[in-house]
Amino acid sequence: MSEAALTNNGFMLRQLGPDDLDWLAEVSSEAYPGRIKDWAGFAEGIMMMLRNPQMACLRTENAFLFAGLQRFFYDPGLIVGKTVHFASYGAAPFEIVTLARAGLIWAFDKGAVEFEFDSITGVDFGPLVKWLTGSKFEERRVYQVRSADVRAYH
């Protein structure tokens, strides 16, 4: 991960590892009570993401983010970064911003032309996208951000 991606706003930011599995389960169960139905599948999925070089697996003290790269067989030069899984103890808004910015920069450093903030869990990323780009977005489930639009990336 690049130095730019690990730059943070006073929060300790580090890559996740297998030793974080219990902590990830605890945070996820608090953030999404009753939503995880298959804990063995959860653990298996986490371990697959931790081993995948196309994933950024990051945490702070109270939050974590898994971001990934999507490549397309029909256009090998097209790379899109995406949020895959994120959660926090409580709100931890500044830690989520730190993690989202690090994931976005990681994806752009890996050649992504855009990054999708997917709010399938009901979190509205509009304010974060506005902070990153200076643009106003209407509330929706997925926000697409191009590297050229991100003020903090230049």
Side-chain angles (χ1 to χ4, degrees):
M1 178 154 301
S2 73
E3 274 303 308
L6 289 176
T7 301
N8 59 65
N9 299 319
F11 297 105
M12 179 166 166
L13 181 66
R14 70 169 178 83
Q15 294 189 33
L16 286 158
D19 291 343
D20 292 305
L21 185 59
D22 289 341
W23 180 84
L24 289 163
E26 184 180 319
V27 174
S28 295
S29 68
E30 181 177 309
Y32 308 113
R35 288 217 174 150
I36 300 171
K37 308 293 186 200
D38 176 10
W39 285 103
F42 173 86
E44 184 179 330
I46 294 292
M47 295 308 288
M48 286 174 41
M49 288 189 283
L50 291 174
R51 290 189 299 266
N52 187 338
Q54 300 298 307
M55 300 289 300
C57 309
L58 305 170
R59 73 166 281 185
T60 59
E61 184 178 342
N62 297 300
F64 68 86
L65 168 76
F66 286 88
L69 299 175
Q70 181 177 10
R71 298 172 188 269
F72 301 87
F73 67 89
Y74 55 85
D75 187 352
L78 178 61
I79 303 170
V80 176
K82 296 178 175 246
T83 56
V84 176
H85 183 49
F86 57 92
S88 68
Y89 283 125
F94 297 108
E95 292 179 54
I96 292 292
V97 168
T98 296
L99 288 164
R101 181 178 182 275
L104 178 122
I105 291 172
W106 168 83
F108 290 157
D109 284 351
K110 294 284 189 181
V113 295
E114 69 181 35
F115 192 89
E116 293 181 356
F117 290 95
D118 188 342
S119 58
I120 194 167
T121 58
V123 174
D124 178 23
F125 279 111
L128 175 62
V129 171
K130 181 179 180 182
W131 178 80
L132 289 168
T133 65
S135 301
K136 181 166 176 30
F137 287 84
E138 60 189 58
E139 185 174 337
R140 58 182 183 240
R141 194 175 143 268
V142 177
Y143 294 92
Q144 296 166 320
V145 179
R146 297 193 171 278
S147 62
D149 297 334
V150 178
R151 297 179 302 180
Y153 183 66
H154 302 294

